[in-house]
Amino acid sequence: MARPSPLSGFPELLPADRIVEQRLLAELTRVFELHAFASVETRAIEPVEVLLGKGEVDKEVYAVRRLQAGPEDTSDPEWALHFDLTVPFARYVLEHAGHLQFPFRRYQVQKVWRGERPQEGRYREFTQADVDIVGADTLADHHDVEIVAVAADGFARLRDVLNFPPATLRVNNRKLAEGFYRGVGATDTAAVLQRIDKLGKIGPDKVGELLVAECGLTETAARTCLDLATITAYDESFVENVQALGVSDPLLDEGLEQLAAVVRGGGEVAPSVVKADLSIARGLDYYTGTVMETELAGYERLGSVASGGRYDKLASDGKRTYPGVGFSFGVTRMLVPIVAAGTVKASRQVPTCVLVAVDSEEDRATATSVATVLRRRGIPTEVAPKADKFGKQIRHADRRGIPYVWFCRADGDEVKDIRSGDQITADAASWTPPAEDLFPQVG
Amino acid sequence: MARPSPLSGFPELLPADRIVEQRLLAELTRVFELHAFASVETRAIEPVEVLLGKGEVDKEVYAVRRLQAGPEDTSDPEWALHFDLTVPFARYVLEHAGHLQFPFRRYQVQKVWRGERPQEGRYREFTQADVDIVGADTLADHHDVEIVAVAADGFARLRDVLNFPPATLRVNNRKLAEGFYRGVGATDTAAVLQRIDKLGKIGPDKVGELLVAECGLTETAARTCLDLATITAYDESFVENVQALGVSDPLLDEGLEQLAAVVRGGGEVAPSVVKADLSIARGLDYYTGTVMETELAGYERLGSVASGGRYDKLASDGKRTYPGVGFSFGVTRMLVPIVAAGTVKASRQVPTCVLVAVDSEEDRATATSVATVLRRRGIPTEVAPKADKFGKQIRHADRRGIPYVWFCRADGDEVKDIRSGDQITADAASWTPPAEDLFPQVG
C-alpha cells in the first residue's frame, strides 16, 4: 500500500507520547484504586436506541454492522459504538445488578467514539477515564464529596508527579441554583439556568436582558441572579456571600450545605484545586445536585477537560432506580494538546534502560545472557541488533534515549552512561542503575 | 429500560474477574517492557479494503459509518473495526516510518472485533496483546529468538506469579519444512504443508494418502514427511532426529539452524516452555520462517491461545519493505475460560484494603480524615457508606472481601482483621498492612 495519511479526529501517538499517556493513566487508576473504586470495562457497542435515548446532547454516533450481513439484511438489531462511558455503565449496572454490591464504586478507562467535526480538543476517537458511585434506590449526599475528592486528588497527582498544568475544579450545585432562582421569584428555574449557562458566551448584560424578557424576572431579580453567578471561593466563605444577597429558600439552604461540604472535602484532599463557582450550570438536564467542570492553567481554550455531577437516576429497570454521582476525565482531550506543546515529555521513547552491545555475531549469545540476567532483576534491556562498530551501537542507544550501554568483556564487563560518558566495570548480577533511570521519566 | 440480556460473543467481566485480567495485562506488559518493547495504540478502524486485502483468512469484519451520514450518503470511505492488531500496526509503521527507529520493537494491547459465530474461546470482541519486531528492508534472524524468548517469558510469568496453567510454546520453521519436502522430491511444498496442517483433524493415515494422491509424493516420501511431523523436543536433540531421516537440502539446514537457535534461546529464558514440534504448520501463508502456537495445560480444547511467526513482508510502501516477526497473546481467549473455571481467582472484588467504619453521620469527617491519611500512604481505603451498626459495616467489608475494618476512637483508633477477628490499636499515620493484603491477590 502507498504511505497512508493520518485520519482526522483519530489521534495516534508516537511511542514517546504514548509513554506520557501510559503514565497519566497509571497515576489516575492508582488514585481511583486508593479511593476504593473497582475497574470495569464494557463492550464497545450498545443498541442504537439506547444511545439515542439518553446521555449527551451530541448524537453523532457510529453505527456498526457485520459487513457480511449484506445491505439487504435488516434482521440484526442496530448497534453503534458508545459515545461515552455513562450509558454503557448504566446498562452494565442493570444487566449485572444481581452480582454487584451497592453502593457500587467503579472506574472505567476506555475509548469512546463521536462522529462530530474534529478540532483541537475534540476528537472522533478518544479515551475517557470515569469514576462513578451508584446506589440501589438511594445514594447519600456525602458520596458527592467523595467524587469531588477523587477528582481533585487525581488532578493534584498529575500536577505533582507528572508536571501537568494545575487544574481548577469548578463546582456548583443545582439545588442551590434552583432554590435561589425560586427565591427571587422565578417560576421556570430550568429556563433561568439555561440563560445563566450562556454567561461565558454572551456576557452578563445580554443574559440579564434574556432573564427579564424570556424568564419573566424583574430587573432586580435578574441582577441578583447575575450577582450569584459572580461568586467564587476556594473555601466555605461563598456561603456568607450568597446569604448576603438576601434570598431565602429551603432548597437553597440544602444546596449551600452540600456545596460547602464538597468544597471542604476537596480542600482537605488537595488544597487550591476545588473552587466553588456559582456560574457553573452544565447544560445537561440529568444533573440534579453537584455539578463540576475543570480548567487547566494555560489550556483554558480547551474549555472543560473533565466534568461530572450528581444524577438521581443513572438507570432504572422499572422496579429499582439507581442514583449516581460521577466524574469523567477527558484523557485524550487534555493529553494531545499538552504533549503537542511539549509541556509534558517522556525522557526517552522506549522503556529500555540498557543496551547490551554485541562484539561480533558469534558472541551474541554472551550479550543475550547478560540481558536475561538484567531483565530477571527488573532492568529493561535490549541487545544490540547488529554487531556494528561500538560507536554505531552507542548511537543506536542515543537515538532512542537509552541511558546505558553494556560491554561484555572477558576480563570483566563494563557499563557506560552515554549521557556523562562515565564508564565503570560492572557485574550483571549486581549492577543497579539509579532508580530514576530504570524507567522513562515523565514530566 | 428493562433488564438487558448479555450480548453473545461480547464477554463482560464482573469486578473480581476484571482484577484477574488487570493483573494478567500488567504482568505481560511488564515482561514486554523488560524485553525493550515500546507501547503503541492504533485507532479502532481501518479502511475496509485494507482489512479485506490481507491478514487472517476470516473476513467477518464489522463495518462502521456515521449514523447521521444517512443511508443515501456513499461519499464516505468505507471503514471497519480492526480484526487483529497486525494490519493496523503495518499501516502505523508505513504512516509513521519517518518518526520511528528501526528495528522497531512495539507491543500493543487492544480490543479487536470479528463477526464470527461465538463459542467458547471464540468471541466477537476480545483483547489481544501483541509483540512485534519490524525492520526496514532487512531484519536479522536472531530477532526470531527474541520473540520466542519474550513469549516464553510472558507465559512463564503468568504461571509463576498468577498460577496460570503451564503453557507449551510449540515452534517450527517454514524453511525447515519446505527444504525437507523439497529434499524428498516434492515440487509443490506449500501443498504438502497444507496436508500436514490437517494432521490434528484427520490423522496420519489420511494425510499420507493425500500426500501421495494430491501432492505426487512416493509412498516412501510421504512416510518420511509424516515421520518428520512426529519429532518434538524441548532441546536441540530434534536436529539429530531430523538428520537421521536422511534428507538433505540447503534450506532444510538453514531452517534447522534457526529452529535450534530459537529452542536454545527460549530454554535459556524459561526451561520446559518452548518445544520444537515439527508438526506445526500454521495455515497462514504469510509466514516465512519461525512459526509458533501455544497450548495451555488443561485447556487443550481451546486450541492455540497465542501464536505468531516470521513474515518477510509486514508492510511495503512501494519503496521500502518492512519484514517482521511477532507474537500475539489471545488474552480474552485464555482468560474467560480460566476465570469461568475458577482456576485463577482474585482474593477480593475491590481494590480496597481498609474500610473505615463510621460511628455516626456527625462523625463522618473523622472517618474521612483517617481515609485521607491512609490513602496518602498508599493504602486503598473506603469510608463506610452509612453509620450502621458496626456488625452491618463489617458485613459490608466481608461481602466485598475487604480484609480490614478501622474504628475511630477518641482514646486511640483500632483496626480489625475481619478474617482472624484480631483487633489492635493503630495509628493511621503509621499502621501498615502486610504487603500481601495491600492489593488483591491473584492466583
Side-chain angles (χ1 to χ4, degrees):
Chain A
M1 90 174 113
R3 186 168 151 203
S5 308
L7 180 59
S8 178
F10 290 78
E12 283 184 333
L13 302 175
L14 287 169
D17 292 342
R18 169 64 182 156
I19 288 174
V20 177
E21 181 176 52
Q22 288 182 291
R23 278 297 301 279
L24 182 161
L25 293 175
E27 295 301 336
L28 284 185
T29 55
R30 179 175 163 79
V31 169
F32 298 162
E33 297 196 347
L34 286 174
H35 286 254
F37 290 80
S39 175
V40 157
E41 287 199 344
T42 59
R43 62 183 194 229
I45 62 171
E46 299 293 336
V48 168
E49 74 267 18
V50 171
L51 291 174
L52 297 187
K54 57 163 42 173
E56 301 271 331
V57 175
D58 185 328
K59 293 293 162 41
E60 292 274 2
V61 302
Y62 282 100
V64 168
R65 63 198 301 276
R66 287 173 53 226
L67 195 64
Q68 303 228 339
E72 72 291 341
D73 181 356
T74 54
S75 64
D76 266 355
E78 289 280 334
W79 298 92
L81 296 173
H82 55 220
F83 58 81
D84 71 5
L85 301 177
T86 307
V87 174
F89 176 56
R91 193 261 317 148
Y92 179 94
V93 166
L94 290 181
E95 187 174 320
H96 302 284
H99 301 280
L100 304 175
Q101 306 288 342
F102 295 95
F104 180 47
R105 308 160 74 91
R106 86 85 176 76
Y107 73 87
Q108 187 168 354
V109 181
Q110 281 184 261
K111 297 216 166 90
V112 305
W113 295 269
R114 296 185 189 180
E116 60 186 318
R117 204 165 64 84
Q119 49 181 301
E120 195 200 24
R122 295 279 178 186
Y123 306 99
R124 293 186 149 190
E125 175 178 69
F126 54 101
T127 299
Q128 286 193 186
D130 283 23
V131 282
D132 286 85
I133 305 172
V134 172
D137 300 322
T138 59
L139 185 74
D141 287 335
H142 59 75
H143 293 295
D144 291 30
V145 182
E146 293 189 309
I147 284 290
V148 173
V150 68
D153 208 2
F155 276 112
R157 196 160 172 94
L158 295 185
R159 179 197 64 201
D160 297 343
V161 179
L162 301 186
N163 197 30
F164 259 62
T168 304
L169 238 156
R170 300 154 78 202
V171 190
N172 198 357
N173 187 290
R174 279 282 166 87
K175 288 178 185 165
L176 188 164
E178 193 183 331
F180 190 92
Y181 302 154
R182 205 163 67 181
V184 300
T187 47
D188 185 350
T189 57
V192 175
L193 194 70
Q194 281 164 16
R195 304 315 181 279
I196 293 290
D197 200 18
K198 297 182 177 172
L199 267 173
K201 280 186 190 155
I202 62 175
D205 293 345
K206 291 271 185 200
V207 169
E209 289 170 23
L210 294 179
L211 290 176
V212 173
E214 298 178 1
C215 303
L217 294 196
T218 64
E219 293 272 355
T220 312
R223 203 159 39 240
T224 313
C225 291
L226 290 171
D227 285 347
L228 180 75
T230 64
I231 295 174
T232 65
Y234 283 101
D235 57 29
E236 296 172 70
S237 63
F238 75 91
V239 177
E240 280 180 30
N241 294 334
V242 174
Q243 286 164 340
L245 295 175
V247 178
S248 89
D249 180 276
L251 196 61
L252 168 60
D253 292 342
E254 201 184 313
L256 278 171
E257 198 182 309
Q258 286 180 12
L259 186 56
V262 156
V263 170
R264 201 165 50 230
E268 185 177 316
V269 167
S272 304
V273 173
V274 178
K275 182 186 190 181
D277 183 333
L278 277 56
S279 72
I280 299 299
R282 303 285 313 146
L284 306 178
D285 55 8
Y286 55 72
Y287 288 128
T288 52
T290 302
V291 288
M292 307 162 251
E293 52 181 62
T294 312
E295 230 169 44
L296 287 182
Y299 291 86
E300 293 80 2
R301 68 180 188 279
L302 297 175
S304 177
V305 296
S307 58
R310 172 80 177 209
Y311 32 86
D312 283 343
K313 186 175 155 185
L314 170 75
S316 171
D317 57 12
K319 276 179 256 164
R320 296 191 102 166
T321 296
Y322 298 88
V325 57
F327 189 82
S328 176
F329 292 79
V331 172
T332 306
R333 190 163 183 185
M334 53 187 178
L335 177 79
V336 169
I338 284 172
V339 296
T343 308
V344 180
K345 280 189 276 233
S347 60
R348 51 191 198 244
Q349 57 184 273
V350 288
T352 322
C353 177
V354 177
L355 179 78
V356 183
V358 175
D359 257 347
S360 71
E361 288 303 332
E362 290 67 45
D363 290 335
R364 176 168 294 280
T366 310
T368 301
S369 297
V370 166
T372 300
V373 172
L374 291 173
R375 288 171 185 151
R376 283 211 185 110
R377 297 183 49 241
I379 302 168
T381 304
E382 180 185 349
V383 176
K386 204 173 167 194
D388 283 319
K389 287 187 181 156
F390 284 148
K392 206 167 170 192
Q393 297 192 48
I394 290 170
R395 278 199 299 281
H396 173 102
D398 192 37
R399 271 199 301 267
R400 290 159 177 82
I402 301 171
Y404 296 95
V405 176
W406 192 281
F407 301 98
C408 306
R409 299 273 161 77
D411 57 345
D413 292 359
E414 297 191 9
V415 64
K416 182 191 198 82
D417 180 334
I418 66 169
R419 298 158 301 186
S420 65
D422 293 347
Q423 187 161 334
I424 56 167
T425 59
D427 180 347
S430 60
W431 176 80
T432 303
E436 67 270 20
D437 286 338
L438 195 54
F439 290 99
Q441 292 294 296
V442 171
Chain B
M1 82 175 119
R3 189 169 148 201
S5 308
L7 180 59
S8 178
F10 289 79
E12 285 185 333
L13 302 175
L14 287 170
D17 291 343
R18 169 64 182 154
I19 288 174
V20 177
E21 181 175 52
Q22 288 181 291
R23 277 299 299 281
L24 183 160
L25 293 175
E27 295 301 336
L28 284 185
T29 55
R30 180 174 164 77
V31 170
F32 298 162
E33 297 196 347
L34 287 174
H35 285 255
F37 290 81
S39 174
V40 157
E41 286 199 345
T42 60
R43 63 183 193 229
I45 62 171
E46 298 294 335
V48 168
E49 74 267 18
V50 172
L51 291 174
L52 297 187
K54 56 162 46 174
E56 301 270 333
V57 174
D58 184 327
K59 294 295 163 44
E60 290 276 2
V61 302
Y62 282 102
V64 168
R65 64 198 301 274
R66 286 174 53 225
L67 195 63
Q68 302 227 340
E72 72 292 340
D73 181 356
T74 54
S75 62
D76 266 354
E78 290 279 333
W79 298 92
L81 296 173
H82 54 221
F83 58 81
D84 71 5
L85 300 177
T86 306
V87 174
F89 176 55
R91 193 261 315 148
Y92 179 95
V93 165
L94 290 182
E95 186 175 322
H96 303 285
H99 301 281
L100 303 176
Q101 307 287 341
F102 294 95
F104 180 48
R105 308 161 72 91
R106 85 87 175 75
Y107 74 87
Q108 187 167 353
V109 181
Q110 282 185 261
K111 295 216 166 88
V112 305
W113 296 268
R114 293 184 191 181
E116 61 186 318
R117 204 166 63 86
Q119 50 181 300
E120 195 200 24
R122 294 279 178 187
Y123 306 99
R124 294 186 148 189
E125 175 178 69
F126 54 101
T127 299
Q128 286 193 186
D130 282 23
V131 282
D132 286 87
I133 306 173
V134 171
D137 300 323
T138 59
L139 184 73
D141 287 335
H142 58 75
H143 293 295
D144 291 29
V145 182
E146 293 190 307
I147 285 289
V148 172
V150 67
D153 208 2
F155 276 111
R157 195 157 174 96
L158 296 185
R159 179 196 65 200
D160 297 343
V161 179
L162 302 186
N163 198 30
F164 259 62
T168 303
L169 238 154
R170 300 154 79 201
V171 190
N172 197 357
N173 187 289
R174 280 281 166 89
K175 288 178 185 162
L176 188 165
E178 194 183 331
F180 190 92
Y181 302 153
R182 208 164 65 182
V184 299
T187 47
D188 185 351
T189 57
V192 176
L193 195 70
Q194 281 164 18
R195 303 318 182 275
I196 293 289
D197 200 17
K198 296 182 178 173
L199 267 174
K201 280 187 189 151
I202 63 175
D205 292 347
K206 290 271 187 202
V207 169
E209 289 170 22
L210 294 179
L211 289 176
V212 173
E214 299 178 0
C215 303
L217 295 198
T218 64
E219 294 272 353
T220 312
R223 205 160 36 240
T224 312
C225 291
L226 290 171
D227 286 346
L228 179 75
T230 63
I231 296 174
T232 66
Y234 283 102
D235 56 29
E236 297 172 68
S237 64
F238 75 92
V239 176
E240 280 180 30
N241 294 335
V242 174
Q243 286 165 341
L245 294 175
V247 178
S248 89
D249 181 276
L251 197 61
L252 167 61
D253 292 342
E254 201 183 311
L256 279 171
E257 197 182 311
Q258 287 181 12
L259 185 56
V262 156
V263 170
R264 201 164 51 230
E268 185 177 316
V269 167
S272 304
V273 173
V274 177
K275 182 187 190 179
D277 182 334
L278 276 56
S279 71
I280 299 300
R282 303 285 314 147
L284 306 177
D285 55 7
Y286 54 72
Y287 289 128
T288 52
T290 302
V291 288
M292 306 164 252
E293 51 182 62
T294 312
E295 229 168 45
L296 287 182
Y299 290 85
E300 292 81 2
R301 66 179 190 278
L302 296 175
S304 177
V305 296
S307 59
R310 172 79 178 210
Y311 31 87
D312 283 343
K313 186 175 156 185
L314 171 74
S316 170
D317 58 10
K319 273 179 258 164
R320 295 192 103 166
T321 296
Y322 298 88
V325 57
F327 190 82
S328 176
F329 292 79
V331 172
T332 306
R333 190 162 183 188
M334 54 187 177
L335 176 79
V336 169
I338 285 172
V339 296
T343 308
V344 181
K345 280 191 276 234
S347 60
R348 51 193 197 243
Q349 57 183 273
V350 289
T352 323
C353 177
V354 177
L355 178 78
V356 183
V358 176
D359 255 347
S360 71
E361 287 304 332
E362 290 67 44
D363 290 334
R364 176 168 295 279
T366 310
T368 301
S369 297
V370 167
T372 300
V373 173
L374 291 174
R375 287 169 185 152
R376 282 210 186 113
R377 296 183 50 241
I379 302 169
T381 304
E382 180 186 350
V383 177
K386 204 172 167 194
D388 283 318
K389 286 184 182 159
F390 284 147
K392 207 167 170 190
Q393 297 191 47
I394 290 170
R395 278 199 300 282
H396 173 102
D398 192 37
R399 271 199 301 267
R400 289 160 177 80
I402 301 171
Y404 296 96
V405 176
W406 191 281
F407 301 99
C408 307
R409 298 271 161 79
D411 56 347
D413 292 359
E414 297 190 8
V415 63
K416 182 192 199 79
D417 180 334
I418 66 171
R419 299 159 301 186
S420 64
D422 293 348
Q423 188 162 333
I424 57 167
T425 60
D427 181 348
S430 60
W431 176 80
T432 303
E436 66 270 21
D437 286 339
L438 195 54
F439 290 99
Q441 292 294 297
V442 171

